[in-house]
Amino acid sequence: MANSASGDSVVDRVVRVIEAFPEGVTSLQLSELADRSGLPLSSAHRLVRQLSEHGLLDLGAGGTVRLGLRLWELVNRNSPTLALRQAAMPFMEDIQQVLNQNVNLAVLDGWEALFVERLSRRGSVANRAQIAGRMSVHISSAGLALMSHQSRELQAEYLEQFADSSGKVTAGVVRHLLAEAAQQGYAQLAGVVDPDTWGIAVPVINSKRRTVAALGVVVPLAEMRLQALVPALQTAARGIGRQLSD
Amino acid sequence: MANSASGDSVVDRVVRVIEAFPEGVTSLQLSELADRSGLPLSSAHRLVRQLSEHGLLDLGAGGTVRLGLRLWELVNRNSPTLALRQAAMPFMEDIQQVLNQNVNLAVLDGWEALFVERLSRRGSVANRAQIAGRMSVHISSAGLALMSHQSRELQAEYLEQFADSSGKVTAGVVRHLLAEAAQQGYAQLAGVVDPDTWGIAVPVINSKRRTVAALGVVVPLAEMRLQALVPALQTAARGIGRQLSD
DNA sequence: CACGTTCTACCATTGAATGGAAGCTGCTGG
DNA sequence: CCAGCAGCTTCCATTCAATGGTAGAACGTG
């Protein structure tokens, strides 16, 4: 009952507060935030107030807590993927125009593909929600495209998690998917996310020969035309990669 | 020389570190970060390390500091403007398709319009950079559209800053612009940002009659057709507003 | 290879962070 | 109309986590 009974630093607590928001939830009651972050109410209150004085959070009347506009602004202005997204956008628009499909751009984070940009198929309901969404490597074409071009060491480390295995997904299957993707130069996966769609993704390789992203499309099964899609994606991916150095 | 010689809390310092990144800069050296944030090198180092252990920052080899992917993810998943952007996106795409102009969406933050979403004109080079950009109220059509629909009190407070005045912009001029925008139901401004472009913006009013955003287009002077643009924008803005409650 | 620069680690000092308790506010149901 | 409740806000004595000067390591450079 003094400076941190729980043995964590102030920084830890700030992080816990920000991480307390469940995916897609923009607003939380103070007491709920305290619960979720595992902080005493008064501590949570103090932290939230301090952060909202700086605009990183927004403490409204009645204890409603939101992320602050200022935080959104700072992060989006200085985002680590800014250069990537800027380089990729024109090419993604080209693909959207030419193929009229949902186009997306993902980076590898841990054992997941993190989607950093997305254009919806023209005419469809826009689905910006999936920006900042994640998918496990082995269930997404983008994830496979990314992982299949990582170093042998990283791939081995990744595959280990399937080793023990309850059996749902075996290391062998995933290894096969990766090998196929590496050999073909693209990854494709049918009906995993949505039974009626097909995902195709290609690696984006920067000027230092590092695979920094995956460019992909999601198409209805009925419209699947690998011959048309893959070359278009690969061309775009090369164009993007040429502009990226790190 | 002990717990904070500078008299600021840990939270203050965390904010200073995050705010130290200049607009558009994604990567900073540790020593430069320490300078910019006004922190002793060892303190900056400790904070950055702590934050990067949680993924909010990314401390690379050689002291290169970036914002963390995890921070980007958290902020974009739980962004305070998520609902607004989701509601607006389909309408913005419609406008882009029909009018083929640069479409943007802004909210009011302080005395500035903060741009939260943007679609580039088809065929033009995509300019995602301006997302998370700011413009003063009185030099942007979006800003005028937003401010002209705020409460009398807020407008009065806003106009005060032009009172003392060196004379560059007078309160009278701004008041006139606001009055005109309020009366017409849209704001328009020619050649302020770029001499060859015209900006037009309309307010987005939610179901509680609060003006929560501005929807605008930027068109080349030569293609200016108010008669066509304003009704389209107003229709879209109403569609967006109908879906928003707070 | 010596020098300068920048990053990283250490650790005694001390004041900022902590959180229980009490007060406040607004709502709800009897 | 008011008692009771639930959640927000404030207060303050206690105490340990944060601080930053210093020293050392790792570069890069002339």
Side-chain angles (χ1 to χ4, degrees):
Chain A
M1 55 207 71
N3 222 334
S4 178
S6 34
D8 46 21
S9 68
V10 177
V11 170
D12 293 334
R13 291 165 169 234
V14 168
V15 174
R16 287 238 291 284
V17 166
I18 295 177
E19 288 188 329
F21 288 83
E23 179 171 356
V25 172
T26 59
S27 157
L28 231 43
Q29 279 310 103
L30 183 56
S31 52
E32 195 182 353
L33 183 64
D35 274 357
R36 289 185 168 280
S37 57
L39 293 173
L41 179 61
S42 65
S43 296
H45 180 257
R46 178 165 26 83
L47 278 177
V48 167
R49 189 166 41 68
Q50 283 182 306
L51 287 165
S52 61
E53 274 162 13
H54 290 286
L56 295 212
L57 292 183
D58 180 24
L59 176 53
T64 302
V65 184
R66 291 169 186 269
L67 297 189
L69 268 180
R70 176 124 190 85
L71 179 59
W72 181 87
E73 178 188 3
L74 288 167
V75 170
N76 279 284
R77 273 190 177 173
N78 307 305
S79 147
T81 62
L82 190 63
L84 172 63
R85 278 150 60 212
Q86 281 179 353
M89 216 11 148
F91 292 96
M92 292 178 70
E93 289 184 344
D94 289 347
I95 291 191
Q96 191 198 26
Q97 289 297 315
V98 175
L99 302 179
N100 186 27
Q101 302 295 354
N102 296 303
V103 195
N104 57 52
L105 185 72
V107 297
L108 186 64
D109 191 42
W111 307 139
E112 293 173 312
L114 177 65
F115 290 86
V116 298
E117 195 59 88
R118 176 191 169 95
L119 290 178
S120 291
R121 186 176 189 179
R122 268 175 290 136
S124 75
V125 175
N127 192 350
R128 292 273 297 174
Q130 293 192 16
I131 281 195
R134 282 175 180 269
M135 289 184 73
S136 296
V137 161
H138 69 279
I139 61 157
S140 60
S141 54
L144 291 172
L146 283 162
M147 185 56 78
S148 66
H149 286 250
Q150 300 300 314
S151 68
R152 299 220 162 279
E153 297 75 42
L154 193 74
Q155 288 193 37
E157 198 188 330
Y158 165 66
L159 286 166
E160 267 177 37
Q161 70 182 309
F162 299 105
D164 56 350
S165 96
S166 46
K168 272 182 78 177
V169 183
T170 69
V173 169
V174 179
R175 183 177 288 114
H176 177 71
L177 287 171
L178 290 175
E180 194 175 55
Q183 188 250 315
Q184 293 177 329
Y186 65 87
Q188 50 112 348
L189 222 41
V192 177
V193 185
D194 177 321
D196 297 327
T197 64
W198 203 303
I200 301 100
V202 302
V204 175
I205 299 168
N206 73 6
S207 62
K208 288 172 184 155
R209 304 198 151 272
R210 234 173 57 78
T211 298
V212 293
L215 178 71
V217 291
V218 176
V219 309
L221 270 188
E223 295 178 32
M224 187 55 187
R225 292 162 303 152
L226 263 186
Q227 304 88 332
L229 291 172
V230 171
L233 283 175
Q234 286 175 329
T235 307
R238 283 172 155 272
I240 298 168
R242 206 175 301 122
Q243 294 174 47
L244 297 171
S245 53
D246 67 337
Chain B
M1 58 261 7
N3 222 333
S4 178
S6 34
D8 46 19
S9 67
V10 177
V11 170
D12 293 334
R13 290 162 170 239
V14 168
V15 174
R16 287 239 290 285
V17 166
I18 294 177
E19 288 187 329
F21 288 83
E23 178 172 356
V25 171
T26 59
S27 156
L28 231 42
Q29 279 309 104
L30 184 56
S31 52
E32 195 183 351
L33 183 64
D35 274 356
R36 289 187 169 279
S37 57
L39 293 172
L41 179 61
S42 63
S43 296
H45 180 256
R46 179 166 25 83
L47 278 177
V48 168
R49 190 168 39 69
Q50 283 182 305
L51 286 165
S52 62
E53 275 162 11
H54 291 286
L56 295 212
L57 292 184
D58 180 24
L59 176 54
T64 302
V65 185
R66 291 169 187 268
L67 296 189
L69 268 180
R70 175 123 191 86
L71 178 60
W72 181 87
E73 177 189 2
L74 288 167
V75 170
N76 280 284
R77 273 190 177 173
N78 307 305
S79 148
T81 62
L82 190 63
L84 172 64
R85 278 149 60 213
Q86 282 179 351
M89 219 5 152
F91 293 96
M92 293 178 70
E93 288 183 344
D94 289 347
I95 291 189
Q96 191 199 27
Q97 288 297 315
V98 175
L99 302 178
N100 186 25
Q101 302 295 355
N102 295 305
V103 195
N104 57 52
L105 185 72
V107 298
L108 186 64
D109 192 41
W111 306 139
E112 294 173 310
L114 176 66
F115 290 86
V116 298
E117 194 60 88
R118 176 192 171 94
L119 290 178
S120 292
R121 188 175 189 184
R122 268 175 291 135
S124 75
V125 175
N127 192 350
R128 291 271 297 175
Q130 293 192 17
I131 281 196
R134 283 175 181 269
M135 289 183 73
S136 296
V137 161
H138 68 278
I139 61 156
S140 60
S141 54
L144 291 172
L146 284 162
M147 185 56 80
S148 66
H149 285 251
Q150 301 301 313
S151 68
R152 299 218 162 281
E153 297 76 41
L154 193 74
Q155 288 193 35
E157 197 187 331
Y158 165 65
L159 286 166
E160 268 178 36
Q161 70 183 308
F162 298 104
D164 56 350
S165 95
S166 47
K168 274 181 76 177
V169 183
T170 68
V173 169
V174 179
R175 183 176 289 113
H176 177 71
L177 287 171
L178 290 176
E180 193 177 55
Q183 188 250 314
Q184 293 175 330
Y186 65 87
Q188 50 112 347
L189 222 41
V192 177
V193 184
D194 177 322
D196 298 327
T197 64
W198 205 304
I200 302 101
V202 302
V204 175
I205 299 167
N206 72 6
S207 60
K208 288 172 184 157
R209 302 197 153 274
R210 233 172 59 77
T211 298
V212 294
L215 179 70
V217 291
V218 176
V219 308
L221 270 187
E223 295 179 31
M224 187 56 187
R225 293 162 301 154
L226 262 187
Q227 304 87 334
L229 291 172
V230 171
L233 283 175
Q234 286 175 330
T235 308
R238 283 173 157 272
I240 297 168
R242 205 175 302 123
Q243 293 174 48
L244 297 171
S245 52
D246 68 336

